[in-house]
Amino acid sequence: MAFVKITEQSSLYNDLEKKSVLEILTEINTEDKKVPLAIEKELPQIEKLVTQIVERMKKGGRIFYIGAGTSGRLGVLDASEIPPTYGMPASYVIGLIAGGDYALRNAVENAEDDEKQGWKDLCEYKITSLDTVVGIASSGTTPYVIGALKEARANGCLTGCITSNPGSPITEAAEIPIAVVVGPEYVTGSSRMKSGSAQKMICNMITTATMIRMGRVKGNKMVNMQLTNLKLVDRGTRMIVDELGLPYDEAQRLLLAHGEVKKAIDAYKSSK
């Protein structure tokens, strides 16, 4: 079967400029509802990827997200949230974007078209066969990402991809492809919409499930989160109150003394 780029197919809606704001919002919402249902069909592939990531991470492996444009930005976003949320060093989940950090806020001309640069960027981190590289590309044809996946796979890394086009070149390059068919975008070709939403949700699933399996969650609490603001100090204090039954003020002093919920709880229990 010939590869058909679903992300470039014409929108199911027309004459958008003639619609009211409510009509536009309602139609976008209708399309967005398709995203989690499309992801549901790929749960076995996501499970396969996460299971192998955890096995490697327990031996010191890392996750690298790599993408261009919106896809790259979403990978960087997910990676950047792991240290404050789970207390993991920033070196465990790393997001790379074609064109470098400048591309997070600006379009970098032709950055995604260099098939060799992605692997060069990965090599800056001394990548090893314990690492996992997840390529993100709605189109499934981004040279920067595909080149990186091919080299990573050839060097023994686990490789996965997130795309909205099954049968695309990126699915051939990755060992574990995740191809989510969300259909044509509301604005034709605007893959920052449903495709981007699917990518964000899947990245959340990958890292959240991985961090849980790595022991960074107790019950349903982020017991290793970093205390980067007053909201998180309050949240952590309440976790300790719930776990140990201490008064709020005492729990807060304990938390601030140890810097993490888990460390505070362990220290308190070991002292008794």
Side-chain angles (χ1 to χ4, degrees), residues 201-244:
M201 293 173 75
I202 293 169
C203 287
N204 277 349
M205 295 170 85
I206 290 171
T207 49
T208 301
T210 297
M211 291 299 108
I212 291 171
R213 300 301 291 176
M214 290 295 292
R216 310 304 288 188
V217 172
K218 179 177 173 58
N220 57 18
K221 303 295 195 301
M222 300 180 288
V223 293
N224 295 105
M225 66 182 181
Q226 295 177 358
L227 307 178
T228 55
N229 57 50
L230 293 175
K231 176 190 73 175
L232 297 181
V233 171
D234 174 66
R235 182 187 297 167
T237 300
R238 287 185 284 105
M239 288 183 194
I240 294 172
V241 170
D242 290 343
E243 179 72 18
L244 301 178

Side-chain angles (χ1 to χ4, degrees), residues 56 119 127-129 131-133 152-153 155-159 175:
R56 288 165 175 260
W119 177 245
I127 192 165
T128 76
S129 58
D131 295 325
T132 300
V133 179
R153 191 171 181 179
N155 282 273
C157 301
L158 175 65
T159 56
E175 182 181 344

